[in-house]
Amino acid sequence: PSINLMEYKRFERQSLLKYGRRDSSYGSIVTECERTDRAISLSLTEMVEQGYRVISARDVVLPQDSGFLSALQKFWLISPLSNAIRTTKYTLWTFFPKNLFEQFHRFANWYFLLIIILNFVPQIQAFGREVSMVPLLFVLSVTAIKDAFEDLRRFRSDREVNNREVLVYDWDTEQFTSRLWREVCVGDFVKLCINEVIPADILLLHSTEQDGICYIETANIDGETNLKQRHVAQQESDTLSLMSLGEFQPAVFNGAIYCEPPHSKIYDFSGYIVYPDGKRIPVNRNNLLLRGCVLRNTEAAIGIVVYAGHETKSMLNNSGPRTKRSKLERDINSEILSSLCILLVLCIAGSIGTGVWTQHRFKPYIPFLPKDDDDSPALEAFIRFWTFLIILQVIIPISLYITMEIVKFIQVYFINWDVDMYYAATDTPFQCRALNINEDLGQIEYVFSDKTGTLTENQMRFQCCSIGGIDFPHQLKDELDGLQEVLQSQGTLKKQKITKPDKFCYDCDLQSKISNLVKQNGLTEEDDSCLHEFFVVLTICNTVVVSRHASNDEKASEPDDKECEASFNMDHLSESVLSDVEKLLGHTNINDIRYEAESPDEQALVEAARKYGYVLLARAPGRVVILTPQRGVVEYHVMHVLEFDSRRKCMSVIVREKGTDQVILYTKGADSAIYSFLDHHSGLKFGKYSALQDGTTTRASLTQAQLNLYARLGLRTLCMAKRELSRQEYDEWYRTHHDAEVSLSNRDELLFESYITIEKKLELLGATGIEDRLQDGVPEAIAGLRQAGIKVWVLTGDKQETAINVGYSSQLFDEVMDIIIVNATSEEGCRELLEYRVKELEMQAGIESASSSASSLDTGFIMAAYTTPIIKLAKSKIKPKPKTDLSATGPPKALVVDGATLVFALQDSVKGLFLEVAKYCKSVICCRATPLQKAQVVQLVKTKLNAMTLGIGDGANDVSMIQMADVGVGISGREGMQAVIASDFAMGRFHFLQKLLLVHGHWCYSRLARLILYFFYKNVAFAVLLFWFQIINGYSGSNPVDGVNLFMFNLAYTSLPIIVVGVADQDLRSEVLMRDKSLYAQGRLSQIYTRGKFWIFMLEAFYQSLVVFLVASSAYHLDVIGLAEFGFIINISIVFTVSLHLAIETYHWTIANHVVLWGSLIFTIVFNLVYCAIDTRQIFIDTYQVFIVTASRGKFWFILILIPFVALLPRLIFRAVRQELFPSEVLQARALEKEDQMYCRCLSKTAHINTTPVEPVEPVLFSQIQANNVSHDNGT
């Protein structure tokens, strides 16, 4: 995009300020803004040289590598400071050279360019020079046109975006004036209005909302439709109030913004604002408005541009569609090398034949050959080598790539149009985001899945809680009591089925205790304090936003009907409390409050707290207001929010209640994290609660027992804790924490260390159990994938007990499985435990003899099991019987690894053993897995086992796993669209994965594998046919087929039929594939496309071409025919032969197949009749009227029938013998499918005679046929 002259002059005038100039003497950055009197602890020069940028009201200083000269040279394209974007790959001047450069990265294009060059050498030339250019020009042109249309679409989109308007502060008029997006630069002040799209990454400096808050919708970034809260940076200087409700004046802003260089991490931003008095105010992602987001529920907001154009986070993440290469496409390279070897062998054989013939020919007896005593056999052989290279060029299938792209493109549309994978509840159709890995769906061996939101609904429901060691089971009392009895009586539990109600139900005991608090009008005992603090944690320790504009905004979330069936009772609220609520909200109806939460867990907890009278009324930067049953409206000053991260597995808030000086840390997180932070030396004992157990039982042990019960019921568990901080403790911590906040280097690590420093010596308050229901169809889908031989791994952040329960309910585990649970406390213990497990499994599989007993092991690990015993030692030696699938040996096994053990298992010294154990298991669950560990597990299986992997998830924490897998699938769920954006395929529900793999994956693999084999076969057959002709032609390099027909063979005669087969052929109907999942093994084990089958097809190509040559030459042996006439005969014959070969290999005949196949054969005849009626005056072969004469003879039509029959007879015999004596599972399925169809037709005929209803016959699974060793024949 161009920039007008006025804008260019302004840039040029300020360029030295914005970029600085290089001082050759000292090698430092010198700018005018460095000469100001600002008190900055770190010099501007040092900051810029470290890579940071400094932005003030009028000046922008960039790092040294964005120097003024280089930026000025690039200015007319895209300036680093400009907000203009360009996503196009080409310009009008660079399209042809750049596109050709990219296309010639393919080896095949270079090969055919070499053929064209060789054909221009007179001594080597085999046919017309112009004709030799047709194949390459056709391929290059088609690809260039496709690229041009795609780039034109991007250009129009860029133009539309760059020409949007926004209000920018004009320093001359001191007013906000309208300007195009592409004219916005870094350092400009921008004013945004409600519902306006944000044009750049802007640091928020002012908002019309109270407390400097604004609301944005990030759907364009991460797909999440719930509103996010952003706020002005906390102001500690008294010289300027950025949160003032008055009109903001950019000219008054006298701070300098120090921020990090642009990067692609959307949820990461660090920097600080420095004021003239030396104060530094930290800024983070909560102060940044990202390009592409929409301002909601806020009248106006003003900020300064820190990143513009291609430096914005959205553009840095917009890398376009990721390019992946499928497994079949990678295998094509080896087959092309094989074809090249065949080509070289033929060329070398032909050149040797030329040399021998030239040396031994008898010129006196061949009067039509020129006499030349200087003929050198070696030179003639060398020249003819290149001639044969030109003639036999068709052996390399140049059109294969284009054909595959066309077939895959159409396949994608058919998959997208499958209504069975359309999720109507959210109007979510299936999306194929990657266009070139369709066939990989049919070869998946391992599926790695997230749990929350992927297998479950991600609709959290509060079910029960434990407060101060007392269990409040709510509606699960009977289930929990029954479960505890089972555990006490048996000591183990394999599976527990319960029925959880949909509606929220109050717990009578808990409601009674809260009512007593209201009556007492205060906290009288420690028990009451624990109860109160527990609900305070639920209410304020979160990032939930109160959406006060829900009634006016279409984007505001609506409450869950079932969750709100139990409403908050406001009868006990006094008039003064209602008056305070009305002042804050503008109304008194507590139940009308709507919450916007980034996490469904947080929303469920806040909603549950509201049911019991603890209501979140307002949240703003630095404060939170809640309503409590006994104290009314209470305001807290939020001093710090310690955000959640996957390493700490918790989040905390540091608050101070208004009117008091007590600083309190409230923490919420996973039990494994909270328990490690507890003050175990406090010896917590508590009043009347101790009557439940003996006096030495602590609150922590009671709560842990209840957590285990919750987890065994499949509930998600969280622990609540607090810590009261003295002023001295807080001040000491704050000094180091503030340094971490304003640090621009290693900030994340410093903040992490700061967090764990304060999150210790915690007092446990209680725990919660939240249910996340399985999606409909998940158990059936997982069972189907397992029946197909696919190993399913679930990588979850839940507790081990919760994960195991979900494993049973989702049919990841079943009753007959042996569950191997690996829990270790050290890396050494983990290694020894895995070694022991490997030996046991090898013994059970019969791979090696029994090893020493486990009693001698001193491992220092914890062994746990749900079944008795998990693995039984073999009593006698078993003869070795190795199998490819180790998980098929012995009883089915499953592996469960907890979070701590997973850390050890992924170490270099242990991961090999971990993988050995996992290979014996059909299902694996990894608990407490972080996003990085998920990716590491996928990478381990993918690289070490060389297996095809699929990753499926729904949230940002699954992106690394999805991108690491060979195929990534994103679920359009409640955690946004991050997973969808990073995925290759996107869908609305997990159970769609079953049909995607078992049906569409099977079809795509089968079609494309046979397409590739057919392409190599037909090209080799045609090329070898031309070679056979050289034997009777003195190896002269003469080509019997003219140049036009030579190239029409691939471009027209044989191209369309294979495209139709690649798009629409079905070896089995979808109902059959879904009924018998074992048929998926054909693709999973790569049974169609193998090296052996490739060479079988090559042998067929040699045989069939030899048949064509011998029959044709024998039929016309005594006739006088010319070179061109013989060329037409063998050319038409080979076209008919390879086309009928495709007809034999076609499983599912449609109208399109008949029209295209027989139409192509008719087109071949008609085209040659028309072509020979035109006097083309070719150099080597005169085709004028030749085919017309040839077709007028009956012999031609006779051999046109005879040749395909003789050539294809072995193929027909082979197929008949295989189908009758050695049928594969697919052939058996096809035979039974035909019988079912015949049976149904018989039933329909007899229905008119006998009206008695006939019970349908249950279909037979083909795996049962194999199990019963039943052979199938026509009489069955």
Side-chain angles (χ1 to χ4, degrees):
S2 61
I3 300 179
N4 59 48
L5 186 61
M6 182 180 299
E7 184 68 14
Y8 175 71
K9 291 180 178 179
R10 187 178 73 84
F11 176 88
E12 187 178 30
R13 185 171 63 251
Q14 296 186 358
S15 59
L16 287 178
L17 290 178
K18 293 190 174 183
Y19 288 96
R21 57 182 176 82
R22 182 75 176 175
D23 191 326
S24 58
S25 302
Y26 299 97
S28 61
I29 302 295
V30 180
T31 61
E32 291 295 330
C33 51
E34 191 176 4
R35 300 190 179 100
T36 60
D37 297 329
R38 296 173 183 155
I40 302 177
S41 60
L42 189 61
S43 69
L44 182 62
T45 299
E46 186 177 356
M47 292 295 297
V48 173
E49 288 185 342
Q50 289 182 7
Y52 305 105
R53 59 174 52 185
V54 183
I55 305 170
S56 64
R58 294 178 180 270
D59 304 325
V60 178
V61 182
L62 297 184
Q64 176 179 330
D65 57 2
S66 299
F68 169 64
L69 293 179
S70 61
L72 189 62
Q73 293 171 357
K74 301 177 181 178
F75 179 76
W76 288 106
L77 295 177
I78 291 293
S79 166
L81 292 176
S82 171
N83 196 46
I85 62 168
R86 194 190 74 191
T87 60
T88 57
K89 294 172 60 178
Y90 314 104
T91 65
L92 188 61
W93 306 108
T94 63
F95 175 76
F96 286 104
K98 189 173 182 180
N99 187 263
L100 289 175
F101 176 77
E102 292 178 351
Q103 291 199 58
F104 274 96
H105 276 77
R106 287 181 173 176
F107 170 77
N109 290 338
W110 283 105
Y111 169 77
F112 282 93
L113 179 62
L114 174 64
I115 296 299
I116 294 174
I117 295 174
L118 291 175
N119 201 55
F120 273 79
V121 179
Q123 292 82 0
I124 303 176
Q125 185 178 3
F127 41 79
R129 297 170 179 172
E130 296 78 9
V131 177
S132 66
M133 302 170 62
V134 172
L136 183 60
L137 290 178
F138 176 79
V139 171
L140 296 179
S141 300
V142 170
T143 306
I145 292 172
K146 178 180 70 72
D147 293 341
F149 273 106
E150 291 179 354
D151 217 46
L152 181 62
R153 187 178 68 249
R154 288 190 287 262
F155 170 76
R156 290 172 177 170
S157 176
D158 293 344
R159 184 174 58 185
E160 178 183 355
V161 171
N162 288 328
N163 289 334
R164 292 176 180 173
E165 295 185 351
V166 68
L167 294 176
V168 180
Y169 188 76
D170 190 333
W171 291 97
D172 297 330
T173 62
E174 296 186 351
Q175 292 180 349
F176 284 97
T177 59
S178 180
R179 191 182 298 174
L180 300 180
W181 277 26
R182 59 184 173 87
E183 297 175 345
V184 176
C185 293
V186 174
D188 283 341
F189 286 88
V190 175
K191 182 176 182 179
L192 304 169
C193 299
I194 189 170
N195 297 329
E196 185 174 358
V197 181
I198 300 171
D201 289 353
I202 298 173
L203 183 66
L204 183 63
L205 299 178
H206 171 76
S207 173
T208 56
E209 290 293 300
Q210 188 179 4
D211 299 321
I213 296 174
C214 76
Y215 299 91
I216 62 171
E217 179 188 281
T218 60
N220 293 336
I221 301 295
D222 55 21
E224 297 182 9
T225 56
N226 55 319
L227 300 183
K228 308 292 193 307
Q229 192 181 84
R230 296 294 181 263
H231 55 79
V232 177
Q234 296 180 3
Q235 177 57 267
E236 298 181 6
S237 175
D238 297 331
T239 60
L240 180 65
S241 178
L242 296 181
M243 294 183 291
S244 172
L245 294 178
E247 184 65 25
F248 177 81
Q249 292 297 329
V252 182
F253 179 75
N254 58 355
I257 301 168
Y258 286 67
C259 61
E260 58 191 352
H263 57 73
S264 60
K265 299 178 181 178
I266 293 180
Y267 301 106
D268 188 12
F269 173 72
S270 60
Y272 55 85
I273 304 176
V274 179
Y275 289 99
D277 57 3
K279 293 290 184 66
R280 292 194 296 178
I281 311 302
V283 293
N284 53 41
R285 68 183 183 94
N286 293 320
N287 313 121
L288 190 67
L289 309 180
L290 297 182
R291 177 189 176 110
C293 298
V294 181
L295 188 69
R296 300 288 189 190
N297 295 347
T298 306
E299 294 300 326
I302 299 176
I304 186 171
V305 177
V306 291
Y307 305 123
H310 288 273
E311 292 182 342
T312 58
K313 294 182 181 295
S314 62
M315 292 302 299
L316 290 174
N317 280 275
N318 184 18
S319 58
R322 295 181 298 117
T323 301
K324 283 188 176 182
R325 297 181 62 205
S326 67
K327 184 179 179 181
L328 280 181
E329 191 173 348
R330 295 193 297 268
D331 292 341
I332 288 178
N333 291 334
S334 60
E335 313 307 354
I336 288 181
L337 291 177
S338 300
S339 299
L340 278 175
C341 292
I342 296 175
L343 175 63
L344 292 177
V345 169
L346 295 178
C347 291
I348 292 172
S351 62
I352 293 174
T354 300
V356 172
W357 194 89
T358 302
Q359 184 176 6
H360 295 87
R361 71 183 179 181
F362 299 97
K363 294 185 179 180
Y365 301 100
I366 310 177
F368 52 83
L369 290 178
K371 293 183 179 181
D372 189 355
D373 297 332
D374 296 332
D375 280 349
S376 171
L379 178 61
E380 188 69 18
F382 176 77
I383 294 175
R384 290 296 159 253
F385 174 86
W386 301 106
T387 302
F388 289 134
L389 190 66
I390 298 174
I391 294 174
L392 305 178
Q393 61 173 299
V394 72
I395 204 171
I396 304 297
I398 187 174
S399 57
L400 174 60
Y401 294 103
I402 294 181
T403 304
M404 289 183 63
E405 288 183 4
I406 294 173
V407 168
K408 290 181 180 182
F409 183 77
I410 301 176
Q411 284 180 353
V412 162
Y413 273 93
F414 281 135
I415 298 176
N416 288 340
W417 291 341
D418 191 341
V419 294
D420 291 339
M421 296 193 295
Y422 169 73
Y423 186 49
T426 57
D427 190 24
T428 305
F430 185 88
Q431 299 179 32
C432 290
R433 298 173 54 83
L435 304 180
N436 54 348
I437 58 172
N438 308 347
E439 63 272 30
D440 281 349
L441 294 172
Q443 299 178 275
I444 299 300
E445 300 173 71
Y446 288 82
V447 169
F448 297 89
S449 174
D450 177 43
K451 184 186 79 69
T452 304
T454 304
L455 302 180
T456 62
E457 295 282 358
N458 204 12
Q459 294 180 350
M460 307 302 176
R461 301 185 187 281
F462 184 89
Q463 294 288 358
C464 51
C465 63
S466 170
I467 305 176
I470 289 291
D471 182 26
F472 298 98
H474 291 66
Q475 61 269 36
L476 300 182
K477 177 175 175 55
D478 295 338
E479 287 79 2
L480 288 171
D481 291 343
L483 177 59
Q484 192 166 10
E485 292 177 2
V486 172
L487 290 175
Q488 291 176 354
S489 61
Q490 299 179 0
T492 60
L493 177 73
K494 199 163 187 181
K495 184 176 180 181
Q496 181 73 11
K497 295 182 180 179
I498 63 173
T499 302
K500 307 184 187 73
D502 290 336
K503 300 179 181 179
F504 180 90
C505 298
Y506 287 103
D507 186 282
C508 297
D509 294 337
L510 182 56
Q511 184 65 28
S512 175
K513 290 182 178 294
I514 294 177
S515 299
N516 292 335
L517 291 181
V518 176
K519 295 176 182 179
Q520 295 167 3
N521 197 22
L523 306 177
T524 58
E525 300 182 12
E526 183 181 356
D527 308 336
D528 300 334
S529 175
C530 181
L531 182 66
H532 171 74
E533 297 287 2
F534 175 82
F535 279 102
V536 169
V537 176
L538 296 188
T539 309
I540 70 174
C541 189
N542 51 65
T543 58
V544 175
V545 176
V546 180
S547 180
R548 295 185 291 110
H549 300 269
S551 59
N552 299 325
D553 191 355
E554 296 178 355
K555 295 293 182 181
S557 65
E558 295 297 329
D560 192 310
D561 295 333
K562 295 179 180 178
E563 194 71 44
C564 293
E565 289 181 9
S567 301
F568 170 66
N569 186 3
M570 299 185 296
D571 295 339
H572 67 278
L573 297 180
S574 63
E575 292 294 334
S576 60
V577 172
L578 291 175
S579 177
D580 293 339
V581 172
E582 185 174 9
K583 290 179 182 179
L584 191 64
L585 301 179
H587 59 82
T588 59
N589 190 353
I590 303 298
N591 293 312
D592 282 348
I593 297 177
R594 300 291 178 263
Y595 296 125
E596 297 280 354
E598 298 184 19
S599 168
D601 301 72
E602 292 187 341
Q603 181 149 359
L605 295 177
V606 172
E607 291 286 359
R610 174 163 64 172
K611 304 298 188 302
Y612 287 104
Y614 288 81
V615 185
L616 176 62
L617 297 178
R619 183 184 297 277
R623 75 184 187 104
V624 60
V625 183
I626 67 173
L627 174 66
T628 65
Q630 68 277 16
R631 299 180 57 191
V633 177
V634 181
E635 180 176 343
Y636 289 91
H637 172 51
V638 181
M639 307 170 73
H640 301 280
V641 177
L642 313 186
E643 297 182 347
F644 174 87
D645 66 62
S646 58
R647 288 194 293 175
R648 289 164 42 244
K649 298 180 181 178
C650 66
M651 76 160 292
S652 303
V653 292
I654 300 177
V655 299
R656 188 185 73 244
E657 185 179 342
K658 186 177 181 180
T660 67
D661 293 331
Q662 180 62 57
V663 179
I664 303 177
L665 168 74
Y666 290 117
T667 303
K668 173 191 68 182
D671 59 333
S672 59
I674 299 299
Y675 270 71
S676 64
F677 299 149
L678 291 181
D679 185 6
H680 295 287
H681 302 288
S682 61
L684 284 175
K685 297 179 184 178
F686 33 89
K688 59 188 178 185
Y689 290 157
S690 61
L692 296 175
Q693 303 286 340
D694 61 76
T696 61
T697 303
T698 64
R699 183 185 302 174
S701 61
L702 286 175
T703 305
Q704 183 62 62
Q706 290 147 7
L707 281 171
N708 292 337
L709 291 178
Y710 297 166
R712 292 179 186 273
L713 293 179
L715 303 180
R716 295 166 57 89
T717 57
L718 288 173
C719 289
M720 314 296 159
K722 78 165 190 175
R723 177 188 177 187
E724 294 184 358
L725 301 173
S726 66
R727 195 67 192 182
Q728 180 181 359
E729 289 176 327
Y730 171 76
D731 291 340
E732 291 177 357
W733 172 81
Y734 176 70
R735 282 192 292 269
T736 58
H737 179 72
H738 181 71
D739 293 338
E741 282 187 315
V742 299
S743 174
L744 293 182
S745 60
N746 202 25
R747 182 173 184 265
D748 291 340
E749 191 63 31
L750 293 176
L751 285 176
F752 174 78
E753 294 176 357
S754 173
Y755 292 164
I756 61 177
T757 301
I758 198 67
E759 290 174 334
K760 60 183 181 180
K761 298 181 180 179
L762 300 179
E763 174 189 351
L764 182 65
L765 298 175
T768 60
I770 302 175
E771 181 196 9
D772 188 10
R773 292 182 181 273
L774 285 175
Q775 296 177 13
D776 294 336
V778 165
E780 295 79 5
I782 292 181
L785 295 177
R786 289 179 51 206
Q787 291 173 20
I790 300 174
K791 297 182 180 180
V792 182
W793 291 36
V794 174
L795 313 179
T796 177
D798 287 335
K799 283 173 61 68
Q800 182 171 284
E801 294 81 1
T802 303
I804 292 175
N805 184 279
V806 173
Y808 278 114
S809 60
S810 65
Q811 295 191 25
L812 186 67
F813 299 160
D814 54 43
E815 298 292 346
V816 300
M817 269 189 172
D818 288 340
I819 310 298
I820 304 174
I821 299 180
V822 180
N823 293 342
T825 58
S826 65
E827 182 177 343
E828 181 67 21
C830 180
R831 181 172 59 253
E832 294 182 359
L833 174 58
L834 291 174
E835 288 176 349
Y836 171 63
R837 290 298 185 190
V838 169
K839 291 179 180 179
E840 283 188 324
L841 292 169
E842 288 176 346
M843 289 170 56
Q844 191 178 53
I847 296 179
E848 65 180 34
S849 59
S851 59
S852 58
S853 175
S855 58
S856 60
L857 291 175
D858 183 15
T859 58
F861 55 78
I862 303 170
M863 296 178 61
Y866 278 85
T867 59
T868 60
I870 293 174
I871 295 194
K872 301 177 181 178
L873 295 176
K875 296 182 180 179
S876 60
K877 293 184 178 181
I878 304 175
K879 294 182 180 181
K881 190 178 180 180
K883 295 185 179 181
T884 303
D885 186 6
L886 297 178
S887 65
T889 59
K893 293 168 283 292
L895 176 65
V896 178
V897 181
D898 70 342
T901 308
L902 186 60
V903 176
F904 306 137
L906 293 176
Q907 300 298 320
D908 292 337
S909 60
V910 184
K911 61 185 180 182
L913 292 170
F914 168 65
L915 204 57
E916 283 295 322
V917 175
K919 285 194 299 185
Y920 287 90
C921 302
K922 291 185 176 295
S923 303
V924 177
I925 291 182
C926 297
C927 309
R928 297 298 191 194
T930 65
L932 179 60
Q933 288 175 333
K934 292 180 180 181
Q936 290 174 341
V937 170
V938 176
Q939 184 182 27
L940 179 64
V941 174
K942 178 181 175 181
T943 55
K944 296 296 184 180
L945 299 183
N946 194 26
M948 290 294 294
T949 58
L950 181 146
I952 180 170
D954 73 311
N957 60 330
D958 304 318
V959 168
S960 56
M961 174 184 69
I962 289 173
Q963 292 181 335
M964 181 60 66
D966 294 291
V967 178
V969 179
I971 301 291
S972 301
R974 292 175 173 262
E975 293 189 18
M977 298 290 288
Q978 300 98 319
V980 170
I981 293 172
S983 67
D984 304 307
F985 303 91
M987 53 191 182
R989 274 296 186 262
F990 177 87
H991 72 268
F992 295 157
L993 183 65
Q994 187 178 6
K995 185 172 185 181
L996 178 65
L997 298 185
L998 304 188
V999 177
H1000 293 291
H1002 175 91
W1003 283 344
C1004 290
Y1005 168 74
S1006 175
R1007 294 163 179 169
L1008 285 167
R1010 289 187 288 121
L1011 179 146
I1012 295 171
L1013 290 173
Y1014 176 77
F1015 248 94
F1016 282 105
Y1017 146 77
K1018 71 182 182 68
N1019 281 35
V1020 170
F1022 188 70
V1024 175
L1025 175 62
L1026 302 180
F1027 177 79
W1028 298 135
F1029 176 77
Q1030 303 304 317
I1031 297 176
I1032 64 171
N1033 200 39
Y1035 299 97
S1036 63
S1038 299
N1039 188 6
V1041 181
D1042 65 288
V1044 173
N1045 274 286
L1046 186 69
F1047 299 122
M1048 287 293 287
F1049 176 80
N1050 269 325
L1051 297 182
Y1053 298 159
T1054 61
S1055 59
L1056 289 181
I1058 188 59
I1059 290 178
V1060 175
V1061 171
V1063 169
D1065 195 28
Q1066 297 179 7
D1067 53 355
L1068 290 166
R1069 292 183 296 114
S1070 60
E1071 295 82 2
V1072 177
L1073 293 172
M1074 291 293 289
R1075 190 172 62 202
D1076 191 356
K1077 282 78 175 178
S1078 63
L1079 295 170
Y1080 185 78
Q1082 184 185 60
R1084 180 172 57 84
L1085 302 177
S1086 300
Q1087 294 177 346
I1088 297 180
Y1089 187 85
T1090 62
R1091 295 288 294 175
K1093 286 193 175 182
F1094 172 80
W1095 287 110
I1096 290 176
F1097 271 78
M1098 294 303 100
L1099 292 177
E1100 276 194 284
F1102 274 81
Y1103 164 76
Q1104 292 176 8
S1105 62
L1106 184 61
V1107 168
V1108 173
F1109 172 73
L1110 292 179
V1111 173
S1113 59
S1114 300
Y1116 288 90
H1117 177 64
L1118 300 178
D1119 293 3
V1120 179
I1121 60 171
L1123 179 67
E1125 187 175 356
F1126 186 75
F1128 276 109
I1129 294 170
I1130 60 174
N1131 181 52
I1132 302 297
S1133 299
I1134 195 64
V1135 169
F1136 272 62
T1137 300
V1138 298
S1139 297
L1140 293 176
H1141 184 282
L1142 180 63
I1144 295 174
E1145 295 297 317
T1146 301
Y1147 289 108
H1148 182 64
W1149 283 88
T1150 63
I1151 296 177
N1153 289 90
H1154 287 287
V1155 171
V1156 172
L1157 181 63
W1158 310 121
S1160 296
L1161 296 180
I1162 296 173
F1163 171 79
T1164 304
I1165 300 294
V1166 174
F1167 174 81
N1168 280 280
L1169 289 173
V1170 176
Y1171 168 62
C1172 291
I1174 303 173
D1175 188 4
T1176 56
R1177 300 181 181 275
Q1178 296 189 43
I1179 299 176
F1180 295 95
I1181 302 178
D1182 186 6
T1183 60
Y1184 185 59
Q1185 297 292 331
V1186 172
F1187 184 66
I1188 298 175
V1189 174
T1190 304
S1192 63
R1193 300 179 183 179
K1195 184 184 294 187
F1196 168 76
W1197 299 103
F1198 174 73
I1199 67 170
L1200 194 59
I1201 298 174
L1202 178 63
I1203 288 177
F1205 175 76
V1206 176
L1208 298 174
L1209 185 60
R1211 163 63 58 172
L1212 291 171
I1213 295 174
F1214 169 76
R1215 287 180 62 89
V1217 171
R1218 186 181 63 171
Q1219 185 164 351
E1220 292 298 325
L1221 301 180
F1222 311 102
S1224 64
E1225 286 191 1
V1226 172
L1227 292 177
Q1228 293 180 43
R1230 286 182 57 81
L1232 288 177
E1233 182 182 2
K1234 292 179 180 178
E1235 291 183 3
D1236 290 343
Q1237 293 174 352
M1238 293 175 61
Y1239 180 74
C1240 292
R1241 281 195 290 267
C1242 292
L1243 288 180
S1244 62
K1245 291 180 180 179
T1246 59
H1248 298 286
I1249 303 173
N1250 186 6
T1251 58
T1252 304
V1254 180
E1255 294 184 1
V1257 178
E1258 183 179 356
V1260 181
L1261 295 183
F1262 311 116
S1263 55
Q1264 297 174 1
I1265 295 177
Q1266 289 185 336
N1268 298 327
N1269 197 20
V1270 178
S1271 63
H1272 172 72
D1273 55 36
N1274 291 332
T1276 303

